[in-house]
Amino acid sequence: MDNEVQFPPLSHQLAATTQKSPTRCCFLLHVRPERLPEYIDVHQHVWDEMRQALTDSGWRNYSLFLQPDTGMVVGYFESDDVDAAQAAMADTDVNSRWQAEMAQYFVAPDGGTNEVLPQYFYLA
């Protein structure tokens, strides 16, 4: 007799959880470790135009966190509608220019593509 508990597939659990949120987004990026000092410095001087575009697109409480040994960046932001805020930002000229500048820092081939993490728990 098999006493092992059978769980639904992970993809189903993540899609069906009541703990996910349309207002919070967490994502990963992967920076080339040898470029981290410069990458961090650039973020100490984010263009005013870029900051304004993020605000105008509905991004708030936006933070970036770093795991220095691996170059993994964890990003987090909140918005009334995360999907709409990301789409609005993608449509801005300043975002296109910023992403083009940042591409040199990311691990190829897609370290600069946001890997959005699914939320499965939240405690307010």
Side-chain angles (χ1 to χ4, degrees), residues 3 6 13-14 21 27 30 32 56-57 59 76-77 83 85 99 113 117-118:
N3 290 331
Q6 297 296 313
Q13 287 179 298
L14 292 173
S21 170
F27 59 89
H30 300 278
R32 294 168 44 196
D56 292 347
S57 295
W59 294 47
Y76 173 84
F77 75 95
D83 292 338
Q99 297 308 325
T113 301
L117 302 177

Side-chain angles (χ1 to χ4, degrees), residues 1 5 15-16 39 63 71 75 82 88 93 96 99 101 103 111 116 120-121:
M1 181 185 332
V5 176
Y39 175 79
S63 298
V82 165
D93 175 63
S96 296
Q99 297 308 325
E101 285 288 319
V116 176
Y120 60 92
F121 177 79

Side-chain angles (χ1 to χ4, degrees), residues 4-48:
E4 188 172 318
V5 176
Q6 297 296 313
F7 295 101
L10 181 59
S11 60
H12 176 74
Q13 287 179 298
L14 292 173
T17 181
T18 60
Q19 298 285 313
K20 63 185 173 181
S21 170
T23 63
R24 290 182 298 281
C25 181
C26 183
F27 59 89
L28 300 178
L29 299 167
H30 300 278
V31 175
R32 294 168 44 196
E34 70 275 11
R35 299 295 304 271
L36 281 170
E38 185 179 355
Y39 175 79
I40 298 302
D41 185 65
V42 167
H43 281 81
Q44 304 312 295
H45 311 283
V46 173
W47 309 331
D48 289 340

Side-chain angles (χ1 to χ4, degrees), residues 53 57 59 83-97:
S57 295
W59 294 47
D83 292 338
Q86 287 180 314
M89 199 58 207
D91 285 342
T92 65
D93 175 63
V94 69
N95 185 60
S96 296
R97 290 185 284 121

